[in-house]
Amino acid sequence: MEKSNYINLNPMGIENDSMQIISDELSHLNIPEELDAIVKRVIHTTADFEYAHLFEAHPDAVQNAKKALLAGCKIYADTTMITAGVSKPSMAKLGNELNCFVHKPDVIEEAKAQGITRSICGINKAAKDASYQIFVIGNAPTALVRICELYKEGKINPDLVIGVPVGFVGASESKQMLKESGLPYMIIRGRKGGSTVGVAILNAILYDIVKR
Amino acid sequence: MEKSNYINLNPMGIENDSMQIISDELSHLNIPEELDAIVKRVIHTTADFEYAHLFEAHPDAVQNAKKALLAGCKIYADTTMITAGVSKPSMAKLGNELNCFVHKPDVIEEAKAQGITRSICGINKAAKDASYQIFVIGNAPTALVRICELYKEGKINPDLVIGVPVGFVGASESKQMLKESGLPYMIIRGRKGGSTVGVAILNAILYDIVKR
């Protein structure tokens, strides 16, 4: 390894080189233009090309999300890893706010009292504020199921649900439920996904708007 | 999907069921006992069984890390996603502290002044405090290279370096460099890895000590 080849390299240079490698490997696929940057960023984040085949989006998802972000919507995430990873400079430019409530004392107490997951209580809390128009679920199938329920009951009407919980129990089923719910969705079919994947999807949309 | 099958399920129940599925799928592999829980947690976090073949550890890595954690060492991570994801209750029980400096004003300023990455400056800052005995690198190859350099210069002597940067430019090479450095390492060979993988490895070690 020639250390000098990258140790002082500009991080944006590394990212551009990476994206070129990804583009070359994906050139045989027909990814719709509006999803191209999203799929590539997910692969950039995971180094796993299978995601090109597992990613799926509602036809209105990208446009809805962009409108909501430009209007300064709030965003709810089910993990603090997601709130840590989403681009703060991009959100600041658009006036967005991103929160996760699963460690808040009122949510912890409510979950104990009701005998349900903190993830569900976090969604219930966000649902009370109509400015939460984008949800990013990277971990908890129960959170995704709760979003579908609240939508069916007419209590929320989000512009985008990024449903990418990873896991072996309930994850795949919860994503299928989201897909069939009528909500504008982006999902990773099957078991794969996770917080870094949720972050990659949202950051790709944000970067496309703010042109960093 | 029978919603009632999991929506009210205890999260530890979901986790135990998941671990059983993973154990069944890995039963044909001979994973050393002290690494078993680590490999399984990485797969639990990624739903990607390839990690069973990509994970590699120095023979002293687990024991060194446990000793350091039990002695209340500090931990340095290269991303705030890692600091968000590592188990705070476990660290609190052992008296560990986990930090990431890449967003600190002095680090940002230093990086600009010297024309190097913030990841390198973050490592330089941590290197000044000998109580940082564990490093978790999920993103920046430059951080991993810097750790190897400082070790060679005799300026740091960490008990464990979890080297799992993900990516297409420099990541694989930096992990190979760590492996050959003489440092007690845990790596994911090749392009894969990332913050969630780093978190999974460290949490598996912590959970094994605190027996949550």
Side-chain angles (χ1 to χ4, degrees):
Chain A
M1 176 178 47
E2 288 289 314
K3 262 190 335 187
S4 56
N5 277 353
Y6 73 85
I7 191 170
N8 282 321
L9 209 63
N10 180 318
M12 282 306 290
I14 295 180
E15 183 170 323
N16 293 339
D17 289 353
S18 302
M19 288 299 185
Q20 192 53 53
I21 294 169
I22 296 166
S23 295
D24 291 347
E25 292 206 31
L26 291 182
S27 60
H28 62 290
L29 293 179
N30 263 326
I31 300 171
E33 196 181 331
E34 61 169 13
L35 301 180
D36 190 63
I38 299 172
V39 172
K40 284 177 183 161
R41 187 157 293 279
V42 169
I43 295 169
H44 178 257
T45 293
T46 57
D48 183 348
F49 283 93
E50 200 191 349
Y51 279 103
H53 305 281
L54 300 177
F55 179 80
E56 211 177 307
H58 185 284
D60 301 335
V62 175
Q63 287 315 311
N64 275 15
K66 284 186 177 173
K67 247 187 251 176
L69 289 166
L70 282 164
C73 74
K74 288 185 187 168
I75 306 160
Y76 184 77
D78 74 328
T79 71
T80 53
M81 285 192 78
I82 294 175
T83 58
V86 175
S87 168
K88 273 149 207 74
S90 302
M91 288 195 291
K93 276 184 197 164
L94 302 173
N96 306 122
E97 187 184 312
L98 169 59
N99 289 304
C100 170
F101 298 142
V102 298
H103 297 294
K104 300 284 176 200
D106 58 331
V107 164
I108 294 171
E109 206 174 299
E110 177 93 356
K112 258 191 205 161
Q114 294 202 29
I116 55 178
T117 69
R118 288 192 282 151
S119 298
I120 293 176
C121 291
I123 298 294
N124 287 344
K125 187 176 160 112
K128 287 176 193 151
D129 180 346
S131 45
Y132 283 99
Q133 284 297 311
I134 295 181
F135 289 83
V136 190
I137 308 302
N139 181 54
T142 58
L144 211 44
V145 172
R146 186 64 187 140
I147 288 168
C148 296
E149 287 176 347
L150 288 166
Y151 175 66
K152 249 192 203 163
E153 295 167 11
K155 287 178 183 154
I156 58 172
N157 192 24
D159 285 307
L160 174 64
V161 181
I162 299 173
V164 294
V166 59
F168 296 84
V169 177
S172 178
E173 295 87 339
S174 70
K175 292 183 272 192
Q176 186 63 27
M177 180 188 268
L178 171 62
K179 186 180 161 181
E180 292 165 3
S181 68
L183 280 159
Y185 66 85
M186 292 185 187
I187 61 167
I188 300 297
R189 280 182 289 113
R191 290 168 165 180
K192 287 185 177 178
S195 293
T196 48
V197 174
V199 167
I201 293 173
L202 185 54
N203 277 346
I205 302 171
L206 284 165
Y207 294 157
D208 194 39
I209 301 175
V210 304
K211 310 284 179 209
R212 54 163 195 157
Chain B
M1 177 179 46
E2 289 288 316
K3 261 189 337 186
S4 56
N5 277 356
Y6 74 86
I7 191 170
N8 281 323
L9 208 63
N10 180 317
M12 281 307 290
I14 295 180
E15 183 170 323
N16 292 339
D17 290 353
S18 302
M19 287 300 185
Q20 192 53 54
I21 294 169
I22 296 166
S23 293
D24 292 346
E25 292 206 31
L26 290 182
S27 59
H28 62 289
L29 294 180
N30 265 327
I31 300 171
E33 195 180 332
E34 62 168 13
L35 302 180
D36 190 63
I38 298 172
V39 172
K40 284 178 183 161
R41 187 156 295 278
V42 169
I43 294 169
H44 178 259
T45 293
T46 57
D48 184 348
F49 283 93
E50 200 191 347
Y51 279 103
H53 306 280
L54 300 178
F55 179 81
E56 212 178 307
H58 186 283
D60 301 335
V62 175
Q63 287 316 310
N64 275 14
K66 284 186 178 174
K67 246 186 251 175
L69 289 166
L70 281 163
C73 75
K74 289 186 188 168
I75 306 160
Y76 184 78
D78 73 330
T79 72
T80 54
M81 287 193 77
I82 294 175
T83 58
V86 175
S87 170
K88 272 149 208 72
S90 303
M91 287 193 292
K93 276 183 198 165
L94 303 174
N96 307 121
E97 187 184 314
L98 170 58
N99 289 304
C100 171
F101 298 142
V102 297
H103 297 295
K104 301 284 177 203
D106 58 331
V107 165
I108 295 172
E109 205 173 301
E110 177 93 356
K112 257 191 206 160
Q114 294 202 30
I116 55 178
T117 69
R118 288 193 281 151
S119 299
I120 293 175
C121 291
I123 297 295
N124 287 343
K125 186 177 161 111
K128 288 176 193 152
D129 179 348
S131 46
Y132 282 99
Q133 282 298 312
I134 295 181
F135 289 83
V136 191
I137 308 302
N139 181 57
T142 57
L144 211 46
V145 172
R146 187 63 187 138
I147 288 169
C148 296
E149 288 175 349
L150 287 166
Y151 175 67
K152 248 192 205 164
E153 295 166 12
K155 290 180 181 153
I156 58 172
N157 192 22
D159 285 307
L160 174 64
V161 180
I162 300 174
V164 294
V166 59
F168 297 85
V169 178
S172 179
E173 295 86 341
S174 70
K175 292 182 275 193
Q176 186 63 28
M177 180 188 268
L178 171 63
K179 186 182 160 180
E180 293 164 2
S181 68
L183 279 158
Y185 65 86
M186 294 188 186
I187 61 168
I188 300 296
R189 279 181 288 114
R191 292 169 165 179
K192 286 186 177 178
S195 292
T196 49
V197 173
V199 167
I201 293 172
L202 185 54
N203 278 346
I205 302 170
L206 284 165
Y207 295 157
D208 194 39
I209 302 175
V210 303
K211 311 283 178 208
R212 49 158 202 167

